[in-house]
Amino acid sequence: MNQVLAKIIYFVFVIYIFITLWKYTGVLWNAYVPWNVQTDLLTIFVVTPILIAVSFILSSLSFKVIRSTN
């Protein structure tokens, strides 16, 4: 039961980190990247998977830090 709860908390962390990164990336993207079809495709196929990977990595690192402090 503890591992199921830990995985649920882990995925909640992943979702929270992804939403935070998505919002900040959107602000920077709208400020510096011109809007057209190519940049939208770049966002969908390149930036989004990178943000997903970074959110999993940051969540894993935060869990390691939390577990090592106990």
Side-chain angles (χ1 to χ4, degrees):
M1 186 67 183
N2 282 341
Q3 288 196 356
V4 173
L5 184 62
K7 288 188 183 216
I8 291 171
I9 294 171
Y10 173 76
F11 284 116
V12 168
F13 268 48
V14 169
I15 291 169
Y16 176 73
I17 292 170
F18 176 76
I19 290 171
T20 305
L21 287 174
W22 184 261
K23 287 183 180 182
Y24 286 122
T25 303
V27 168
L28 291 173
W29 194 267
N30 288 332
Y32 297 109
V33 179
W35 183 81
N36 58 32
V37 176
Q38 288 87 9
T39 58
D40 286 347
L41 289 175
L42 182 71
T43 303
I44 292 171
F45 294 118
V46 176
V47 176
T48 303
I50 290 172
L51 289 179
I52 292 170
V54 168
S55 64
F56 273 103
I57 291 168
L58 289 175
S59 183
S60 296
L61 290 174
S62 66
F63 257 66
K64 283 183 182 180
V65 168
I66 290 170
R67 287 186 180 171
S68 68
T69 58
N70 286 339

